[in-house]
Amino acid sequence: MTGFENDITATASQGAPRIAMLGNADLSGVFRGRSLPVERFEEAVRTGLPWVPANILLSPLNTIPPGNPFGPVGETRLRAGGARTMVLPARGERPAALLCLADICTTEDTPWPVCPRGQLKRAIADLEERYGLRLEAGFEHELYITGLQERPTPAFSLAGTRAVSGIAEEVQAMLRTAGTRLDQFAAEFGAHQFEIAAPVLGALEAADHAVLAREAIRDAARARATHASFAPKPFADGPGSGVHIHMSLWQGDTPATAAGDQLSERASAFLAGILAHLPALIGLTLASANSFERLLPSNWVGIYRCWGARNREAAVRFCPRSQRADGLNPGASLEYRLADGSASPHLALAALIRAGMAGLEAGLTLPQGVECDPSDLSASERAARGIDDLPSDLGLCLDGLEASGVLEAWFGALFTAAFLSVRRNDVADAARLGEAYRAAFSATI
Ligand code: GLU
Ligand code: MG
C-alpha cells in the first residue's frame, strides 16, 4: 500500500451519506470543522467553507485562551485537502456521514500558517527540495476503551482482542471507504487498553490516516455506548498511552535509513537533530498537561534524551529490520516515542521533520546509542553520556520552547503566538480543574 486508494464499493456499503463534514485535528488534536447536507458537499469542495480563526484556539475543554492573537476578528476557509474522505456508517436514526479532511487557508486561498496540515506539507516539500529526501511514517496509537461489558482481560490476550473485535471490524470497514486500513488492533498492557498500528505511508498520508483512524474508533466506540480515549494518562494508576511514530527516510525509491544494522549518515544526522531539539520538540508532540503525567521512568515510555537500537526506554528507538540482498534495509525505522494523542499528528510530524532537517543542515553526529534502561545508570553516568533531563511539566516545556526560538524559525510568528496561547491555556485548564482535569480531558481526547 502506498497511500489511500478510494474504494467505491466499500463506500456504498456504509449507506448513502446524508451529512458531510469538512474538518481536521486542531492544535489540541481535536477534530473540528463544519457540517452540511451532503447535497452541498460538491459546492463546498469547490469553494471551501468559512471558518473562524479563533476556532483553532479552543482547548479540549472548550476554553479559549485570553489574550490570543485572533479574538473575534478575521476569517479563514476550510478547503478539502485532496478529497481524502471516509464514510461513517448509518446507525439507527443517524444517517451515514461523509468526513473530508480539510486544510485551513486564508481567504485568498494561500496556506494559513496556523494550519497543522499546511505546515506538514511545507516541511515535506522542504525536506525534498533541500535534501532530496522523503519521509515515510507509521503511527502506532495506544488507547483505552471504557464502558466495555467484559471484565478487564489479561494483557495482550486473545480475550482482550475479542473484547473489541466488533469495534475493530467496523473501524476497518470505515477505513476501507478511505481506501486504507489498520495493520493491527490488539490488546495492550493496561486493563482495556489497546494498540492500533497503521500501515507505513508517506508523511502526509500517515498523519491523515492517524486522524481518520482515531475518528473511526471514536465513532465505533460511541455506537456501543463505550468511550475510546487516546489521552496520554487517563488513569493515575494505569499505564499511559503513547503515540509511537516510526519514520524512515527515502531517496526516491531507495531506502536511506540504514544499511544492515547501521544507520546511514543522513539518518544519523536526522536523528541527532531530533535529540538536539528534543526539549523543544516535546512541546509540540506532548501537547497537554496530561502528557507529562505519562512520563515515568522504567515504563517503556522513553523519557530519556537518547537513542538506542531496540531500546524502549530511549526517546528514539532504532528498529533495524531485515536487510535486502544489496545490504539496504527498507524496513528500518526510527521510532519516536515521546508523542501522544493530545498532539496534532500533522504538527508532530512537521516538527520531527524540522528537527531532523536542522540535524542534516548542521551535519550533526550522533552520540553513542544506549543499550540499557537509562534509569539503571547513575545521574552522573547519564550526564556524562549527554542524557539530560527533559522538562517535567508543560509550563516549563513551553517556556523553554519559546526561549529556544525554534517555533518561530520552523513555523513563523503567527503560528508561534497562536500555539503558545493554546498550550498555556491547557496549563490554565489543568490548574483550574485540579484533580478533575484528568477525567475531563480524557473524556474528549
Ligand atoms: N504504554 C507505553 C507508553 O506510554 C508504551 C508501551 C509500548 O512499548 O508499547 O508509551
Ligand atoms: Mg504499545
Side-chain angles (χ1 to χ4, degrees), residues 105-313:
C105 293
T106 66
T107 45
E108 284 81 44
D109 260 348
T110 55
W112 189 49
V114 196
C115 171
R117 194 167 189 265
Q119 287 288 3
L120 176 55
K121 285 183 182 172
R122 217 166 53 85
I124 292 169
D126 285 352
L127 181 66
E128 175 78 52
E129 194 185 301
R130 292 184 205 160
Y131 301 100
L133 290 171
R134 62 187 180 80
L135 186 94
E136 292 196 347
F139 277 73
E140 294 167 2
H141 316 243
E142 293 173 333
L143 67 146
Y144 279 86
I145 299 187
T146 56
L148 288 170
Q149 290 303 311
E150 276 83 355
R151 282 181 293 132
T153 49
F156 313 115
S157 64
L158 173 63
T161 297
R162 292 292 285 168
V164 288
S165 54
I167 291 179
E169 190 46 37
E170 222 170 74
V171 168
Q172 295 287 24
M174 283 185 251
L175 288 173
R176 268 197 295 277
T177 71
T180 186
R181 58 158 198 259
L182 288 180
D183 278 356
Q184 264 186 57
F185 197 137
E188 242 291 342
F189 187 60
H192 290 165
Q193 190 187 29
F194 301 91
E195 172 167 320
I196 57 164
V200 174
L201 298 166
L204 184 67
E205 287 77 15
D208 285 351
H209 186 289
V211 173
L212 292 178
R214 286 184 207 167
E215 291 317 305
I217 293 175
R218 288 187 170 114
D219 193 71
R222 263 194 305 267
R224 290 161 174 78
T226 60
H227 172 65
S229 177
F230 294 85
K233 190 74 173 175
F235 307 107
D237 53 358
S241 293
V243 168
H244 299 155
I245 306 177
H246 286 266
M247 297 173 286
S248 54
L249 291 171
W250 294 78
Q251 180 155 26
D253 290 331
T254 308
T257 311
D261 268 12
Q262 291 304 309
L263 279 168
S264 70
E265 205 174 305
R266 284 180 297 180
S268 299
F270 192 89
L271 172 52
I274 289 175
L275 292 178
H277 288 290
L278 195 61
L281 199 49
I282 61 172
L284 292 132
T285 60
L286 301 175
S288 63
N290 187 244
S291 301
F292 287 76
E293 298 191 85
R294 167 180 162 243
L295 304 188
L296 300 172
S298 305
N299 272 254
W300 294 19
V301 175
I303 61 165
Y304 289 104
R305 189 179 183 179
C306 61
W307 72 282
R310 306 180 180 94
N311 188 347
R312 292 176 182 79
E313 288 293 349

Side-chain angles (χ1 to χ4, degrees), residues 24-58:
N24 214 328
D26 67 7
L27 297 178
S28 305
V30 179
F31 191 96
R32 300 184 209 259
R34 249 186 223 285
S35 314
L36 67 168
V38 80
E39 290 76 12
R40 289 204 51 226
F41 180 63
E42 268 183 35
E43 182 195 337
V45 168
R46 250 192 344 269
T47 62
L49 291 172
W51 188 238
V52 178
N55 287 353
I56 201 144
L57 304 171
L58 285 164

